[in-house]
Amino acid sequence: VVAWPRLLVERGYRTGLVGKWHLGLDEQFHPSKFGYQYFMGFLEGGVKPKDPRLVVDGRLQQAAGFAVDLVGDDAVRFLQQARDRPFALSVHFREPHAPYAPLPEPEAQFAAALKPTIPNPDFPSLDVEAVRKFMCEYLGSVAAVDRNVGKILAELDRRKMAENTLVIYTSDHGYNLGHHGVRHKGNGSWILTK
């Protein structure tokens, strides 16, 4: 099956993927095999939120900083090199996957100030304080993605590319954050006091 990035390359596009790939570690599954000419990110299902190991310039290396910002900043760099050639850029943040913390400072302050409504607070033996902590960190993680998407959109505006660029924003799944006494996604666990 021909992947759409390869079709775009054949039509003169510069293609890039920044962030999470998660389709296999073997060379045959590398993003370049599917038509991505540029890749910076990680091939595994996840990395640490801070100081992750990332593939940069074709080599796995230790990065310094928050994964969300490293991905957002690299996406902006890709756009800065777009020049007059059409491009297709896939940006795949690890956030808001668990663990949600540590968070970048703006989002850490945001999360610390939150007083979220807890879903199902009367669920038998629900650990309400743990749910509140996870929910605040999750919302802070979402806010970090929002901030970085804002940087990418601002770069499109700055380069006067926004009017001629299609932006598609999707997510791969949601999370239980105390809903029905569970935390996490499909392979979730109870978040109960007993």
Side-chain angles (χ1 to χ4, degrees), residues 105-123:
E105 189 55 34
E107 288 76 32
Q109 290 179 15
F110 167 77
L114 291 174
K115 304 287 186 238
T117 301
I118 303 301
N120 307 117
D122 297 327
F123 191 89

Side-chain angles (χ1 to χ4, degrees), residues 2 13 20 45 59 71 82 121-122 141 145 147 155 161 174-175 182 186:
V2 178
Y13 281 69
K20 181 178 179 174
R59 291 185 358 261
V71 168
D122 297 327
S141 186
V145 172
R147 178 174 52 79
E155 184 63 21
M161 300 165 83
Y175 274 96
V182 175

